[in-house]
Amino acid sequence: MMRVHSANFAVTTRGKGTYEITDEVASVVAASEVRSGTLTVFVRHTSCSLIIMENADPTARRDLEEFFERLVPEDTSYFEHTAEGGDDSTSHIRSVLTRASEVIPIAEGRMALGTWQGIFLFEHRRAPHRREIVLSIIGS
Amino acid sequence: MMRVHSANFAVTTRGKGTYEITDEVASVVAASEVRSGTLTVFVRHTSCSLIIMENADPTARRDLEEFFERLVPEDTSYFEHTAEGGDDSTSHIRSVLTRASEVIPIAEGRMALGTWQGIFLFEHRRAPHRREIVLSIIGS
Amino acid sequence: MMRVHSANFAVTTRGKGTYEITDEVASVVAASEVRSGTLTVFVRHTSCSLIIMENADPTARRDLEEFFERLVPEDTSYFEHTAEGGDDSTSHIRSVLTRASEVIPIAEGRMALGTWQGIFLFEHRRAPHRREIVLSIIGS
């Protein structure tokens, strides 16, 4: 029978970087007992974001993080929105270039992720934060 | 009972910039009477896009807009697709770097947006346009 | 009656570039007989991605591809993750800047795409690959 399964969890970050949340998300999918449907993962913030990324070799994520350091540098001279520091607009722009949500099909009771795909919270703030993740699963 | 609720509305833009549509979208969610589920917001164009962005301080959006001006400049010398002007390929590329859709969980009858999250149409064309937004809500 | 319709297909790429999959996806939507709902298209890889892009003039896509060549060049000097070649981190970063999924409303039995919107697989690897696409349709 078609149904909606909702859940929330929080991620405590230690500052900038990528934090894998695949296992937490997979646990929610398993608990939902939905065999076939779609999962939406959503982050309730504008200074961190979600990505699906290679989850095997940590150097892949280091390169990604360094790329974003250079693409949207902190303390950019023309930024006006600096109330919360030199990482303020930087964080919002990095979030817009990635995503607040990831949507993943569920098949045979599991996320249809490829072998190397992991779900990561991408923290853009220098300081540690508590980040809220909302999940919505629809299926049968 | 699980159901689909569909809606459309148009946004009239005055040229390049970010236009908040959170209230229009929230009205559709309220009218749907869906308490728990997911909302998809979709823009039917390739020269504007959707973003979820900080909605309190307008300077945050000005910095974002300026960032995109520099990342994907108009009148870029190697662009071939200029039939509709120097903002033609620029608009398509800015759209690809952002999104045609945003997907947001619905909980307790409302979008599960964080305090500072707003939904914006990001218009990439210099000229005013009428932009069509399609909403699809699934839930119970 | 609300239901889930799932499908898979593969795309064989000839190396870097954009490959339109709109017709394949439209066939799955038609076969599902869902009149109203949402479609999720998902790619099970981290070195190719999905985009919604102008589908009429091929020069638009050439400009987009050239933009990504310059934004995230191959053989970037500071990349550490080069086990699979100079297009390794490049491919992951280009994927993160675009998307693993696209979500599109279904109305009157068809995707609610605008006139010029096409769905494309964006292959970031130099070598040919077989890419798996998963579709999940929910609606009635």
Side-chain angles (χ1 to χ4, degrees), chain A residues 2-6 38 40-46 71-73 76-84 88-89 92-93 95-101 103 134-139, chain B residues 2 36-38 51-55 57 59-64 66-68 70-71 97-99 101-107 111-118 122 138-140:
Chain A
M2 290 288 293
R3 62 189 181 279
V4 180
H5 182 90
S6 303
T38 64
T40 300
V41 188
F42 183 79
V43 68
R44 303 183 69 221
H45 306 276
T46 60
L71 184 68
V72 196
T76 294
S77 60
Y78 67 81
F79 286 167
E80 290 179 57
H81 179 73
T82 54
E84 295 181 45
D88 199 346
S89 269
H92 298 314
I93 294 168
S95 294
V96 164
L97 287 169
T98 48
R99 279 159 296 286
S101 67
V103 182
V134 181
L135 295 96
S136 177
I137 296 168
I138 297 181
Chain B
M2 290 288 294
S36 180
T38 65
I51 58 171
I52 289 180
M53 179 64 184
E54 211 265 28
N55 69 350
D57 180 353
T59 63
R61 272 147 51 207
R62 281 212 296 275
D63 289 350
L64 176 77
E66 180 63 23
F67 175 83
F68 274 90
R70 292 166 187 239
L71 184 67
L97 287 170
T98 48
R99 279 160 295 287
S101 67
E102 293 284 358
V103 181
I104 302 164
I106 297 171
M111 290 185 280
L113 291 172
T115 310
W116 309 110
Q117 287 181 309
F122 198 174
I138 297 182
S140 60

Side-chain angles (χ1 to χ4, degrees), chain A residues 25-71:
Chain A
V25 175
S27 297
V28 173
V29 172
S32 78
E33 298 187 358
V34 166
R35 300 293 300 165
S36 179
T38 64
L39 160 73
T40 300
V41 188
F42 183 79
V43 68
R44 303 183 69 221
H45 306 276
T46 60
S47 56
C48 67
S49 53
L50 296 174
I51 59 172
I52 289 179
M53 178 65 186
E54 211 264 29
N55 69 351
D57 180 353
T59 63
R61 274 152 45 211
R62 281 212 296 275
D63 289 351
L64 175 78
E65 291 163 17
E66 180 63 23
F67 174 83
F68 273 90
E69 287 297 310
R70 293 165 186 240
L71 184 68

